[in-house]
Amino acid sequence: MEMESKTERSRARILRVFFSSIPLLAWLIGVLVAVLCEKAVGLWVADAVGLPRIPVLFGILFMLKEPSLIPAALLYTTMIYIVPSCITARIVSPLANRAAELLLRVSVSLSVLVHLALLYSALHFWTDISDYRLIMVKLTLIAVIITLSLNVINGYMGEFSCSHPGFLALGAYTATVFNLVFFVNDRFFGPALAPPAWGPFFFPVGLVLGGLVAALGALMVAIPSFRTRGDYLAIISLAFMFIIKSFIENLEVVGGPRGLSRQPDYASLPVVFAWTSLCLWIINNFVRSTLGKALNAVRDDETAANSMTVNTRRTKMTAFLFAAFWAGVAGGLFAHVIRYVNPGMFGIQNLAEVLAMVYFGGLNSVYGSIVGAVGIQLLSEMLRPLEIFKWIIIPLLLILVMIFRPTGLIAFKEFVVEDLVKPKRKEV
Amino acid sequence: MPLLHVERMTHDFGGLRAVRDYDLTIERGQIRGLIGPNGAGKTTVFNLITGIYKPTEGRVLFDGKDTVGLKPYEIAAMGLGRTFQNMRLWRHMTVLEHVKLARYSKLSYGLLGAFFSTGKRRREEEEGAQKALSLLEMVGVRHLADQVVTNLPYGAQRRVEIARALAMEPKLLLLDEPTAGMNPEELRQIMLIIRDIHRELGLAIFLIEHRLRVVMELCERIQTLVFGEVIAEGSPEETQNNPKVIDAYLGKEKLF
């Protein structure tokens, strides 16, 4: 008995030693190799283990649809993803540690760029295999922006805002109309005003415009609701969401309830990836600065913040508009990924999803927002074969998280980029 | 020109007159005390001076400027620091973040600096951290800089609060019962700290206290407030021997 637990412990130690010295750089290389592996021999392996085709989501969809395929799907995932990525990561880790150290010594930004490039390549090759993966990755990246921006209000500032679908809608419609008017021959808006070839270069303009319109909408919510603290914001922002939705439904210029389609295909993976990275960088910079910490102070004790020279009203307004801006940008990206928008997309269900991502991942935390957005998005895709039961499992999971970790999975944790990209200590 | 000059300040909560015709003059570098039984309106006086409440009548001049109607953060930025009776720390923030945040009005990097992490922002944040650490050193909690405040013992939380108020580089520091709930050892230490900061930073201090020993030892002049009215003002000895004070504040029996 004792012997057994001792071997167990030593085995755990070996595993820890085996993996503890692997830096993020090595993991990313490992994942890249695994993805390339799938590209090279995925079809062949799938055939060999008896799967009808390459599983799009790590075989989970197969497992849920057809329980007899569980061993085959597990085998595939192990052979294609787990084994190659772990082995590669372990092999390259001494080299990667040295590289990470070198990069960090040159500059943090260079190191971050290298990591992002690796992550992007992995995503690029992974999504090459099917369009379904491509659109899912894009939507997940957008979900990260949305979750992060809502976390600024609901987590960092501690107010409860329900207006995010409204901001998304404003951003989505503004960017769509901008592109349709200028770069597309459209039956609504007539011939293109500018050469369509310019379109992709002006795409950021449309997105920023969408963000600004969303921020303007936020100003309308903020002026009456930030006079005092309390439930006002929740109520006013909920009303705002419904007003925007029915406003667009009744606006025939933008297609009313039928919505708008024919968005040009500008939101490619690199574009969405770049915007998500930019958003992450800016929001993280903001919440880690003293100006951003003022939000936490306002949340934890507004009177004290006010007495410590913090202009609380301006702080709240700024953060709210800032969050709305990013929601607007995310809305614009979303419209161009789906290439269709209608007002029905921006209702109470959308709100529920976004709130779930924020509270599942963790309040007041960039890590939490990433985990929440990716987790809920993947989960809701993976559980699709279960149909109606999906809407039992996901809420159940949320309730469990709320019981055992009331502030979310990874709450109140600083996202320190330097710690993320630094080399891991040498093993003893 | 006195640092703080309050003239005939009156405040009503609905029909209740909480403070009546309150006068006060504090010179630079003075330590003054405010005593009085529970509910006498001591904290209300602080809240009126710092702008959390707006006086119904009267004038408040801080550093020669009329502060009635200004927002608390504006008055604070003029150099009026304070602590709270129930501390009001920010429960999710670390000690260092507390002290850095009180330098909010001193930051000039603006939103662009916050968003894009410019060189100016990094410089100012670094400078703020250094100043904060030296203040934490002064109150003796530097080793706790990275702790979240809710994990700290009570005495350390009090010190953090004092450091936070000092970070805004006040000319006048209002301390609202800084020794409330402390044991004799903690009490002795906090009194040393108050003496230290008074000597080293040369600021004026106005403190509310329940424990007479503290005010008697620290203060040059003491006001006694009962039911919103000043019934006595004078040196510790005068206050101690004033029959009105003994009557209203200490009760009928003689304490000393």
Side-chain angles (χ1 to χ4, degrees), chain A residues 39-72:
Chain A
K39 210 168 150 57
V41 295
L43 207 58
W44 184 79
V45 172
D47 210 32
V49 297
L51 292 172
R53 57 183 182 279
I54 292 181
V56 282
L57 264 183
F58 314 111
I60 307 277
L61 297 180
F62 280 135
M63 293 190 214
L64 292 176
K65 247 185 265 178
E66 190 59 64
S68 66
L69 285 178
I70 289 180

Side-chain angles (χ1 to χ4, degrees), chain A residues 102-118:
Chain A
L102 209 69
L103 283 172
L104 212 53
R105 212 176 298 151
V106 178
S107 89
V108 181
S109 9
L110 180 70
S111 179
V112 170
L113 283 179
V114 169
H115 283 79
L116 282 177
L118 278 172

Side-chain angles (χ1 to χ4, degrees), chain B residues 126-146:
Chain B
E126 182 53 36
E127 190 193 327
Q130 289 311 324
K131 290 232 166 92
L133 284 173
S134 68
L135 285 173
L136 288 173
E137 179 93 63
M138 192 184 267
V139 298
V141 287
R142 187 184 168 132
H143 58 292
L144 301 171
D146 291 325

Side-chain angles (χ1 to χ4, degrees), chain B residues 97-137:
Chain B
E97 283 167 3
H98 270 78
V99 184
K100 271 177 79 182
L101 189 59
R103 298 182 49 80
Y104 183 90
S105 67
K106 305 258 184 293
L107 300 174
S108 63
Y109 57 76
L111 278 178
L112 281 183
F115 293 158
F116 300 106
S117 188
T118 53
K120 187 175 185 190
R121 167 221 169 132
R122 264 169 294 180
R123 244 186 344 267
E124 286 188 4
E125 291 278 347
E126 182 53 36
E127 190 193 327
Q130 289 311 324
K131 290 232 166 92
L133 284 173
S134 68
L135 285 173
L136 288 173
E137 179 93 63

